[in-house]
Amino acid sequence: MDKKTLHIIKVGGQIIDHPDVLSGFLDQFALLEGPKILVHGGGKLATRLAADLHIPQQMVEGRRITDKDTLNIVVMVYAGLINKQVVAQLQGKGCGAIGLCGADAGIIRARKRTHAAHDFGFVGDVASIDAGVLEGLLEQGLSPVIAPITHNGEGQLLNTNADTIAQEMAKAMSVHYHTVLIYSFEKAGVLLDTEDETSVIPSMNQAAYQTLKESGKIFAGMIPKLDNAFQALEAGVGRVVIGPAEQLQDLVAGSKGTSIVA
Amino acid sequence: MDKKTLHIIKVGGQIIDHPDVLSGFLDQFALLEGPKILVHGGGKLATRLAADLHIPQQMVEGRRITDKDTLNIVVMVYAGLINKQVVAQLQGKGCGAIGLCGADAGIIRARKRTHAAHDFGFVGDVASIDAGVLEGLLEQGLSPVIAPITHNGEGQLLNTNADTIAQEMAKAMSVHYHTVLIYSFEKAGVLLDTEDETSVIPSMNQAAYQTLKESGKIFAGMIPKLDNAFQALEAGVGRVVIGPAEQLQDLVAGSKGTSIVA
């Protein structure tokens, strides 16, 4: 029997911060047929709440340290406010959304990050995904909405990168489904000229990527996303698309954004 | 075929505020066999967070008004921090907990409360429970952990009383299960003398309750809980128990607390 197609869609923080754009994106997500999972980022609200509560944000090598107070804030904002507002909106649009963090139903287990020189605090790297439980929810007609919070399986919540969650989930779900992974954000896709939103590269394979990367034509901030995309394809994901959240339906159809192919 | 027994356990806010007591309670919840649902209250953290953020708490007739800022706080604290900390702990204790609010999977729809004289803000009264979705989760071996936040089905989150949620859920689930509803909190049960924790009434029917109530022997704060308990029995719930969270296993066995019988 052919595998069903599963769409796993990551939506970035900047979309979360704009209610009108988010609502339009959620309209399109609600209309998408078949099994689907939404992974959302954090947005600026956690930073604002930390400032309002006078909780100092410590940075090491450009990365935020997740101390105990900061962990509580990201759990409240990501797994609480943002997750539940998105779920309530999707429910209002007729989508059977169910909001979860990685601890719920044990779907994402992570390991606290260790580093020789620095302690990044309560930051988790994905260790395993329970694809069976997610399949059970999808088969019940539910659409998981995942907040970027995980757990270590021993009672500790951890802060985890949403892009990585989407990627690891897509890889794990590829055993059960033909999986399409979509990174949707505020950009038109992978651009040849970062100043020109019309310079989208419609499709890119590994060879083309290496050539562009070596010639310095890929924006540095995009490189980790693309490295991850190719790694996902190698691990069994069917297709990876990077493009604008406002045109989700076109990303699914493959007519907008950048399609990453093996 | 006989119905399976389902335990629906409400744990009160004062237990939530004491990590050691909560952990002992969760040990017992994790060990409980068969289908089970945990409904948790809020505790004092939301009030503290509102004070830290200088959000004034308005009261009318002894009830808190849930304005927009207060709603955001209770969603963050109840559906975010408390719910996910409880789930992570239960997962660590080997229980397949899945944390949900009423918007998730559309399990609890509520109506915004209307009142002739006052606007209580974003407060919801339970309108309907989706027992089928909850049964699907239970059949998957999952144990729902419910935060007292609901939605109106049109995108709006609402603040709802946890006791009422537990009661309405028990009534709705009685179609599918032999349902036992347990209100667990910091007291030994329904007391004949509120100053004497050894004066627990082990069992009470409607007639005994009326007699005790008329003679003024029931503590006023307990009357709404007891009225609700008898209403739940009339609506098909098999048994209602009120007693100490620290002795959950004994409450389930019926050897502690007060059993309310038809």
Side-chain angles (χ1 to χ4, degrees):
Chain A
M1 206 178 76
D2 278 352
K3 287 179 185 172
K4 285 186 205 171
T5 296
L6 166 67
H7 289 96
I8 298 184
I9 295 153
K10 154 81 201 307
V11 64
Q14 293 205 33
I15 306 297
I16 300 287
D17 287 329
H18 294 89
D20 289 353
V21 181
L22 179 62
S23 176
F25 167 82
L26 295 176
D27 281 336
Q28 294 179 68
F29 182 82
L31 286 172
L32 196 60
E33 285 181 19
K36 57 194 171 185
I37 295 174
L38 180 62
V39 180
H40 62 78
K44 293 205 172 71
L45 184 57
T47 309
R48 225 157 50 217
L49 188 60
D52 287 349
L53 290 169
H54 310 291
I55 295 169
Q57 298 295 289
Q58 306 168 61
M59 307 289 282
V60 166
E61 296 175 356
R63 287 169 183 271
R64 186 192 299 186
I65 293 177
T66 306
D67 62 7
K68 190 169 167 294
D69 287 337
T70 302
L71 177 69
N72 286 348
I73 284 179
V74 295
V75 170
M76 288 197 290
V77 173
Y78 301 171
L81 195 59
I82 293 174
N83 192 265
K84 299 319 170 193
Q85 284 182 339
V86 165
V87 166
Q89 279 194 57
L90 284 173
Q91 286 282 340
K93 297 174 196 295
C95 169
I98 181 168
L100 305 170
C101 79
D104 293 307
I107 52 174
I108 313 168
R109 196 173 283 218
R111 261 184 292 270
K112 189 172 180 295
R113 186 174 297 168
T114 52
H115 186 283
H118 308 294
D119 182 1
F120 289 104
F122 296 103
V123 171
D125 295 309
V126 176
S128 63
I129 306 268
D130 191 333
V133 172
L134 284 167
E135 189 186 14
L137 298 173
L138 292 166
E139 290 299 310
Q140 235 190 291
L142 298 171
S143 300
V145 175
I146 314 284
I149 300 292
T150 58
H151 73 140
N152 70 351
E154 291 164 8
Q156 180 62 56
L157 294 165
L158 295 165
N159 188 8
T160 296
N161 179 275
D163 279 359
T164 311
I165 287 176
Q167 188 199 354
E168 293 299 328
M169 198 165 274
K171 283 155 65 176
M173 296 308 282
S174 293
V175 178
H176 303 273
Y177 295 89
H178 172 77
T179 306
V180 177
L181 172 59
I182 298 179
Y183 288 106
S184 74
F185 62 158
E186 66 285 0
K187 299 274 180 192
V190 182
L191 306 177
L192 264 180
D193 174 356
T194 55
E195 302 297 304
D196 177 6
E197 285 279 320
T198 67
S199 69
V200 178
I201 305 167
S203 178
M204 194 183 343
N205 63 13
Q206 181 72 260
Y209 175 48
Q210 291 307 328
T211 307
L212 286 166
K213 195 157 72 165
E214 280 157 26
S215 63
K217 289 221 164 97
I218 302 285
F219 173 60
M222 193 58 80
I223 289 175
K225 265 194 169 59
L226 288 170
D227 285 344
N228 285 342
F230 282 108
Q231 206 203 319
L233 291 175
E234 278 164 34
V237 175
R239 189 158 64 98
V240 181
V241 187
I242 297 178
E246 291 178 74
Q247 290 168 306
L248 178 61
Q249 283 176 314
D250 296 324
L251 297 181
V252 169
S255 60
K256 291 274 173 168
T258 301
S259 282
I260 317 291
V261 293
Chain B
M1 207 177 73
D2 279 353
K3 286 181 185 172
K4 284 186 205 169
T5 296
L6 166 67
H7 289 96
I8 297 183
I9 295 154
K10 154 80 201 304
V11 63
Q14 293 206 31
I15 306 296
I16 300 288
D17 288 328
H18 293 89
D20 290 353
V21 181
L22 178 62
S23 176
F25 167 81
L26 295 176
D27 282 336
Q28 294 179 70
F29 181 82
L31 286 172
L32 196 60
E33 285 181 18
K36 56 194 172 186
I37 295 174
L38 180 62
V39 179
H40 62 79
K44 293 205 173 75
L45 183 57
T47 309
R48 227 159 46 222
L49 188 60
D52 288 348
L53 291 169
H54 310 292
I55 294 169
Q57 298 295 289
Q58 307 167 62
M59 308 288 281
V60 166
E61 295 175 357
R63 288 170 182 268
R64 186 192 301 187
I65 293 177
T66 306
D67 62 9
K68 189 169 167 294
D69 287 338
T70 302
L71 177 69
N72 286 348
I73 283 179
V74 295
V75 171
M76 288 197 290
V77 172
Y78 301 170
L81 195 59
I82 293 174
N83 191 265
K84 300 317 171 196
Q85 284 181 339
V86 165
V87 166
Q89 279 193 58
L90 284 173
Q91 285 283 342
K93 297 173 195 296
C95 170
I98 181 167
L100 305 170
C101 80
D104 294 307
I107 53 175
I108 313 167
R109 196 173 284 220
R111 261 184 294 269
K112 189 171 180 296
R113 187 174 296 168
T114 52
H115 187 283
H118 308 295
D119 182 1
F120 289 104
F122 297 102
V123 170
D125 294 309
V126 176
S128 63
I129 305 268
D130 191 332
V133 172
L134 284 166
E135 189 186 13
L137 298 174
L138 292 165
E139 290 299 309
Q140 233 189 292
L142 298 171
S143 299
V145 175
I146 314 283
I149 300 292
T150 58
H151 74 142
N152 70 351
E154 292 164 7
Q156 180 62 56
L157 295 166
L158 295 165
N159 188 8
T160 297
N161 179 274
D163 279 359
T164 311
I165 286 177
Q167 187 200 354
E168 293 299 329
M169 198 166 276
K171 283 155 64 176
M173 297 308 283
S174 292
V175 178
H176 303 273
Y177 296 90
H178 173 76
T179 305
V180 178
L181 173 59
I182 298 179
Y183 289 105
S184 73
F185 62 158
E186 66 285 359
K187 298 273 179 193
V190 182
L191 307 176
L192 265 180
D193 175 357
T194 55
E195 302 296 303
D196 177 6
E197 286 278 321
T198 66
S199 69
V200 178
I201 306 167
S203 178
M204 194 182 345
N205 63 13
Q206 182 71 259
Y209 174 49
Q210 291 306 328
T211 308
L212 286 165
K213 196 158 73 166
E214 279 156 26
S215 64
K217 288 221 165 99
I218 301 286
F219 173 60
M222 192 60 79
I223 288 175
K225 265 193 168 61
L226 288 170
D227 285 343
N228 284 341
F230 283 108
Q231 205 204 319
L233 291 175
E234 278 165 33
V237 174
R239 189 158 63 98
V240 181
V241 187
I242 297 178
E246 292 179 72
Q247 290 167 307
L248 177 62
Q249 283 176 314
D250 296 324
L251 296 182
V252 170
S255 59
K256 292 275 172 163
T258 301
S259 282
I260 316 293
V261 293

